[in-house]
Amino acid sequence: MNAERWIHICVDMQRMFNEETPWQVDWMATISDQVVEVASRFPDRTIFTRFVPPHSPAEMPGMWRPYYEKWPMMTATRLDPGLINLLPPLQRLVPPARVLDKRTYSPWLSGKLESLLAHQDIGTIVVTGGETDVCVLATAFGAIDLGYRVILLKDAVCSSVDQTHNAALELLGNRFSVQLEIATTDEWLAQARA
């Protein structure tokens, strides 16, 4: 891993979290300018993850089944398929930006992301997106476990719950300070090199 080589992972900036659904994240609109700024400057270094629900709860293992039994309106059978797409300003960046679909909070479980990054000798991951206390947290933890340096842009991540968003930032900043750095988008962009 080469710490000088970095990639931007933009977590789940999808219409189903931005528009009026049971999973709407009100803060997503607030951070979208920062996320678009990072992805637009470096589209060839951006990977967008998308959380893709199953067609029915029965498709999912273990406790994912009762999870989707609680949220049947968010399964692919009932959800407008367009809502799974990225926000339009981000979708326009694909390609050269890439999209990685996932069925769980973490993008690491399939092994595809790790393989892709290993082939590029990536050592640093810049994280934006939502939600800070769910999928962003899972993305950061997985990256830390795999040995990556993580830079979390605190004004380019969001959650639907302020208290747990703040707690996640505090946890990551305090407990993982050797492996993870928290910065603002402007601070990071000021020193970022392609």
Side-chain angles (χ1 to χ4, degrees), residues 52-54 56-62 64-65 68 103-104:
V52 180
S56 72
E59 284 182 24
M60 296 300 286
W64 282 106
R65 192 166 294 158
Y68 281 106
R103 287 281 174 108
T104 60

Side-chain angles (χ1 to χ4, degrees), residues 47-111:
I47 298 172
F48 295 110
T49 65
R50 293 190 320 170
F51 187 78
V52 180
H55 285 88
S56 72
E59 284 182 24
M60 296 300 286
M63 293 306 295
W64 282 106
R65 192 166 294 158
Y67 178 84
Y68 281 106
E69 287 169 353
K70 177 181 177 179
W71 302 103
M73 74 294 292
M74 298 304 291
T75 57
T77 314
R78 296 183 46 194
L79 188 67
D80 172 357
L83 291 175
I84 294 170
N85 291 336
L86 299 170
L87 301 182
L90 300 174
Q91 186 66 46
R92 288 192 282 274
L93 301 174
V94 179
R98 293 161 284 181
V99 175
L100 176 74
D101 289 343
K102 60 191 177 79
R103 287 281 174 108
T104 60
Y105 303 136
S106 173
W108 302 104
L109 296 183
S110 73

